[in-house]
Amino acid sequence: MSDRIKRRKLDLAHGRVDLSHGAGGRAMAHLIGEIFHAAFDNPMLRAGNDQAAFEVAAGRMVMTTDGYVVSPLFFPGGDIGSLAVHGTINDVAMAGARPLYLSAGFIIEEGFAFADLKRIADSMAAASRAAGVPIVTGDTKVVERGKADGVFITTTGVGIAPRDLVLSAEQARPGDKVLLSGFIGDHGVAVMSQRQNLAFETSIQSDSAALHELVAAMVSAAPQGLRVMRDPTRGGLAATLNELAQQSAVGFRLDEDAVPVRPEVAAACELLGLDPLYVANEGKLVAVAAPEAADTLLAAMRAHPLGRDAAIIGEVIEDDHHFVQMTTAFGGGRIVDWLAGEQLPRIC
Amino acid sequence: MCLAIPAEVVELLPEQMARVSLDGVSKVVSVALVEGVAVGDYVVVHVGFALTRIDPDEAKQTLALLAEMGQSAEAAR
Amino acid sequence: MKYVDEYRDGKVARQIAAAIAQAADPSRSYHFMEFCGGHTHAISRYGLEDLLPSNVRMVHGPGCPVCVLPVGRIDMAIRLAQRPEVTLCTYGDLMRVPGSHGTSLLRAKAAGADIRMVYSTLDAVAIAEAEPTREVVFFAIGFETTTPPTALAIKLAAAKRLSNFSVFCNHVLTPPAIRGILEHPDLAGQPGPRLDGFIGPAHVSAVIGADAFAEFARDFAKPVVVAGFEPLDVMQSILMLVQQVNDGRHVVENQYIRAVTPEGNRIAQAEVAAIFELRDSFEWRGFGRVPASGLQLREAYAAFDAERRFAMAEISAADNPACDCGAILRGIKRPTDCKLFGTLCTPETPMGSCMVSSEGACAAHWTYGRFRDHARRAVA
């Protein structure tokens, strides 16, 4: 931000974003300076260029991008800002990489309150500082009222993975074990509890969290045994395992009793006619590992606060149909299929 | 058909509404269809309405009967 | 979860399965229809058919309100939702149900119609109150369980003098459908299923009472056991049916005695009777028009009746000719007998309604039971 621009303070308490804040002029400079730069402050951002430049260490560069459109924007345990940081860090980390830098693009709806935007930016800043992954470049656009739902955020992340560590979705092999880092469905239930037409009360908070340190602990515990990692977000555990089954051309057999589900999440799902296996997570990972490495990995996961409730939930099997099957707590068998469309609350 | 789930009535509210709780999840539902609902009752909730009260004695008897059926089958083997 | 988890004990279920195997006469077979989609779902979800001896067979019935709704009624709802002044509110279940020509409420919404999913009828009333310039229509479906909440919503809207709330009523009744199956079991020359008894609905019975099924036990000499929706409820009910058949009895028994009384919920019955009256007949998917099987709003509540308010024209649309939903809903065919099952018709691209609702026989089999077909084929 150039010092030549004369600063007139934004009315952060009562002001709202208008189209001039996206027009490239002084108003936009004020908005970016007072909300985003103030929150994300770091040397690369302070340089005020349209890009960030940094040295790259040896290894394999990992890059990912993700758009965030959550409704409501604020929910128990997080908000769109912390989610946009955690989600992208996690996508980098699932390659076994150490995330280095983030970029953030904002599409803001005309009329959005400065106070909410500042709250989101501060939350992003806190999440990025806590994770040690700075936001080093970004972009801001403003669209007319009705053309966005408050704010949309797109974050891109880069990281470095060790050259000899290749985690990839086609590497699951029959006999491998499936590890899950904790309770499923917390994020989806926390968000749904705030939707006006569902409104229920629960102490469940979103599990939104940056998993790169948990991943680092797993990589250092058993680098040879890890085949693939993925964070089961939209579509839940079911979608992730079905993707992996297709990509690796295998099947899975899960043990329902071993899959950690909080009683509150199970209850909310009963109430709405949902299945926790399909409900979103934002701070969980699934790892497929060689059988001989599974116990070591499980111990490493449980030693980390974000993997305290980790469990081995099943194994990879040979299956020409690439089904995800589950032995139910009741003692029967079922398929855990792809989600057909959006999971809607139902009456029957 | 008719997804419905038993939940405990924890608070009676005005206009024939009540707060029900199911393992730490609570929701406000209508109790207009069930007479004399009291705190501590379990009601079967369907689309935001209590449809009927669970009879705790009958529930106990059903469970006892289930256990008995199971045992007699075991014994006969 | 109290009153839930204790009825999901797999060990007890296997013990009851052993009792069923002992009770079932090996020299004969038993064919029982579970009328209700809730039971169909439980049977598939918990794999109960695997626990039963091979001579005890379950036949899936038509008790899924989404499945029996004819395509024409979906088309009518879509046409209504396309009116610029209308906000159509409905349960999530209906959003993906296919109408004619590949339409659905979800697609109509994407094309600009104001369609909103609600959890309760009261939410629809609240929307009408909050948005007085919108014509808010609740697209009501369901059996006797789901009708009282619609009645109370209309009563509330009347009390609040809301002039922008109405109901597109598609509520249907259980007993006429059971009677239809018993009186005319065949469909277009295909013989009907053999039925030795019925598992009666759980929550429908909580409203109308277990006694409502006495006519079938008496007139058609079929045993009926009203059962809860948990897997142990279903297993116990099957055992009770086997015992009735063995004893040559045919009465209504109530397994779900913790929630169902002989007379049902009198308050709910009175609320429904105050608002609704019988239609002369109503079209059911797979059944055609069934006399005295559907409800409409009484004259006194005509202002809340969307069909009258918007002069909605009846649309009668033909099912996809290759779709066997009709025969599946009557228990004549199994999902895997349908040529479309798993090929053109999947939960992502449902051709028939049985594939949409999670308690539809096809969706339940696709979701939970499909791997058994492959296992069977592999063995063969």
Side-chain angles (χ1 to χ4, degrees):
Chain A
M1 188 84 16
S2 165
D3 291 334
R4 283 179 289 124
I5 298 170
K6 191 167 179 294
R7 298 266 171 112
R8 191 159 10 100
K9 284 246 173 237
L10 295 178
D11 180 0
L12 289 177
H14 305 101
R16 291 181 179 277
V17 175
D18 60 47
L19 289 175
S20 72
H21 292 108
R26 189 167 287 173
M28 187 167 112
H30 282 164
L31 179 82
I32 293 172
E34 287 190 41
I35 292 184
F36 296 128
H37 285 197
F40 305 157
D41 187 46
N42 60 64
M44 264 187 253
L45 201 59
R46 231 176 284 139
N49 295 314
D50 283 346
Q51 68 290 115
F54 43 81
E55 297 290 324
V56 184
R60 296 165 68 240
M61 189 102 194
V62 173
M63 180 174 172
T64 186
T65 192
D66 212 344
Y68 296 84
V69 295
V70 65
S71 171
L73 297 171
F74 303 94
F75 46 82
D79 55 63
I80 189 171
S82 53
L83 202 62
V85 169
H86 293 151
T88 296
I89 286 176
N90 291 346
D91 283 347
V92 172
M94 291 309 123
R98 185 165 60 86
L100 296 173
Y101 302 109
L102 297 175
S103 77
F106 295 83
I107 294 173
I108 310 168
E109 186 182 8
E110 178 187 19
F112 195 62
F114 286 146
D116 286 339
L117 192 60
K118 180 165 164 29
R119 190 173 156 200
I120 289 166
D122 288 348
S123 161
M124 289 182 83
S128 115
R129 281 211 182 89
V133 185
I135 299 164
V136 294
T137 185
D139 179 54
T140 307
K141 295 282 188 302
V142 178
V143 295
E144 285 170 45
R145 190 181 279 274
K147 293 196 169 167
D149 189 7
V151 62
F152 300 148
I153 304 177
T154 298
T155 47
T156 296
V158 293
I160 298 283
R163 188 157 277 145
D164 52 352
L165 179 74
V166 179
L167 303 183
S168 185
E170 77 287 351
Q171 299 189 130
R173 295 286 167 267
D176 286 353
K177 299 290 182 192
V178 183
L179 295 100
L180 174 67
S181 67
F183 290 98
I184 57 166
D186 295 5
H187 175 75
V189 165
V191 169
M192 273 186 272
S193 73
Q194 301 301 302
R195 296 236 168 107
Q196 207 177 359
N197 57 351
L198 298 179
F200 56 90
E201 281 153 44
T202 161
S203 57
I204 289 288
Q205 305 248 316
S206 168
D207 59 349
S208 178
L211 296 169
H212 58 306
E213 284 170 5
L214 173 63
V215 169
M218 293 168 70
V219 168
S220 78
Q224 304 306 317
L226 275 171
R227 310 265 207 240
V228 47
M229 279 193 273
R230 195 163 278 189
D231 56 334
T233 54
R234 265 175 315 166
L237 182 64
T240 294
L241 291 177
N242 275 288
E243 286 162 17
L244 296 181
Q246 289 292 337
Q247 289 173 280
S248 286
V250 294
F252 285 96
R253 190 190 308 283
L254 305 183
D255 177 3
E256 186 173 27
D257 273 333
V259 178
V261 182
R262 292 183 202 278
E264 295 95 324
V265 169
C269 286
E270 285 283 345
L271 209 55
L272 298 174
L274 308 178
D275 184 335
L277 294 169
Y278 296 90
V279 178
N281 311 279
E282 289 292 349
K284 296 294 163 352
L285 67 82
V286 177
V288 176
E292 63 276 9
D295 289 336
T296 310
L297 277 169
L298 184 65
M301 291 168 85
R302 286 184 171 168
H304 190 278
L306 291 175
R308 201 173 40 220
D309 303 301
I312 296 176
I313 59 166
E315 60 181 357
V316 181
I317 55 172
E318 258 180 74
D319 182 352
D320 294 343
H321 301 283
H322 314 326
F323 283 150
V324 178
Q325 299 185 30
M326 186 160 85
T327 306
T328 67
F330 186 76
R334 63 169 276 202
I335 294 178
V336 179
D337 201 5
W338 294 89
L339 185 60
E342 191 190 355
Q343 187 165 240
L344 302 172
R346 55 192 181 84
I347 62 157
C348 61
Chain B
M1 99 192 80
C2 317
L3 191 84
I5 191 88
E8 186 181 6
V9 176
V10 293
E11 185 187 0
L12 296 176
L13 301 169
E15 295 179 16
Q16 295 187 294
M17 302 297 280
R19 179 174 301 282
V20 298
S21 166
L22 176 68
D23 279 12
V25 174
S26 82
K27 183 156 181 65
V28 174
V29 303
S30 168
V31 290
L33 295 169
V34 185
E35 202 169 18
V37 169
V39 169
D41 285 354
Y42 275 76
V43 289
V44 175
V45 176
H46 174 62
V47 300
F49 287 78
L51 274 188
T52 181
R53 195 189 336 250
I54 298 268
D55 183 324
D57 297 329
E58 297 289 5
K60 225 177 273 171
Q61 279 193 25
T62 300
L63 282 177
L65 195 62
L66 284 167
E68 193 183 306
M69 278 176 167
Q71 276 158 12
S72 60
E74 292 274 283
R77 256 192 250 182
Chain C
M1 281 167 278
K2 192 168 160 71
Y3 298 125
V4 176
D5 294 333
E6 57 257 51
Y7 299 93
R8 291 183 184 171
D9 186 327
K11 184 162 168 278
V12 178
R14 282 184 286 282
Q15 291 168 348
I16 298 173
I20 293 171
Q22 279 168 26
D25 176 353
S27 70
R28 59 156 300 163
S29 62
Y30 302 78
H31 297 247
F32 301 129
M33 174 175 276
E34 85 278 2
F35 178 84
C36 231
H39 291 128
T40 305
H41 185 87
I43 288 166
S44 303
R45 165 77 176 79
Y46 295 98
L48 300 186
E49 276 177 330
D50 291 350
L51 297 178
L52 297 175
S54 58
N55 60 335
V56 176
R57 295 274 300 272
M58 301 310 294
V59 180
H60 308 319
C64 158
V66 172
C67 304
V68 297
L69 190 69
V71 172
R73 302 295 287 188
I74 295 283
D75 290 348
M76 288 170 72
I78 291 172
R79 190 171 290 183
L80 183 63
Q82 284 165 341
R83 294 174 72 121
E85 73 276 24
V86 167
T87 294
L88 188 79
C89 297
T90 191
Y91 297 127
D93 309 57
L94 282 170
M95 295 297 283
R96 294 190 306 112
V97 181
S100 300
H101 315 298
T103 55
S104 67
L105 290 173
L106 203 62
R107 289 193 177 152
K109 182 173 188 289
D114 184 2
I115 298 172
R116 305 189 203 172
M117 198 186 68
V118 293
Y119 173 78
S120 164
T121 55
L122 297 183
D123 299 338
V125 175
I127 290 172
E129 226 180 339
E131 302 181 32
T133 61
R134 302 292 301 161
E135 276 288 344
V136 176
V137 183
F138 180 67
F139 181 10
I141 59 152
F143 287 96
E144 291 89 338
T145 324
T146 317
T147 312
T150 307
L152 284 187
I154 293 167
K155 190 176 163 187
L156 181 67
K160 288 177 183 278
R161 298 181 186 281
L162 289 180
S163 59
N164 65 328
F165 178 80
S166 59
V167 168
F168 176 37
C169 180
N170 294 275
H171 286 301
V172 288
L173 303 175
T174 307
I178 296 183
R179 181 165 285 275
I181 289 172
L182 287 168
E183 283 180 346
H184 305 288
D186 57 315
L187 177 72
Q190 302 176 73
R194 193 183 120 195
L195 293 178
D196 301 304
F198 283 90
I199 291 188
H203 296 128
V204 161
S205 305
V207 173
I208 65 174
D211 284 352
F213 303 97
E215 55 178 300
F216 307 114
R218 186 187 59 231
D219 298 353
F220 298 93
K222 301 288 184 195
V224 179
V225 176
V226 169
F229 280 145
E230 298 304 334
L232 289 191
D233 292 325
V234 178
M235 292 298 285
Q236 185 182 17
S237 303
I238 294 170
L239 179 56
M240 290 163 79
L241 282 171
V242 168
Q243 287 164 340
Q244 278 206 46
V245 171
N246 287 353
D247 299 348
R249 289 181 296 131
H250 41 84
V251 296
V252 176
E253 291 180 308
N254 182 7
Q255 181 278 336
Y256 196 31
I257 199 156
R258 63 187 183 276
V260 172
T261 58
E263 70 280 2
N265 182 336
R266 299 266 196 217
I267 298 177
Q269 291 165 19
E271 297 287 0
V272 169
I275 305 279
F276 296 106
E277 63 187 9
L278 275 177
R279 292 177 195 256
D280 292 336
S281 70
F282 192 77
E283 189 188 343
W284 291 54
R285 192 169 193 164
F287 286 71
R289 295 201 79 89
V290 181
S293 67
L295 298 176
Q296 64 190 9
L297 276 73
R298 287 184 180 280
E299 190 62 40
Y301 292 92
F304 297 95
D305 185 345
E307 284 179 76
R308 284 188 258 192
R309 191 181 179 95
F310 299 97
M312 291 172 71
E314 281 275 340
I315 299 176
S316 190
D319 287 333
N320 182 325
C323 170
D324 270 333
C325 273
I328 290 164
L329 285 167
R330 300 177 68 108
I332 293 171
K333 288 192 173 181
R334 291 168 167 257
T336 44
D337 295 333
C338 177
K339 284 192 291 295
L340 301 181
F341 180 82
T343 54
L344 285 177
C345 186
T346 66
E348 280 84 23
T349 56
M351 307 293 286
S353 51
C354 298
M355 190 55 102
V356 179
S357 168
S358 68
E359 61 175 34
C362 295
H365 186 69
W366 175 270
T367 306
Y368 298 117
R370 194 166 23 125
F371 70 98
R372 288 194 196 94
D373 301 339
H374 294 295
R376 257 178 229 134
R377 241 171 270 154
V379 169

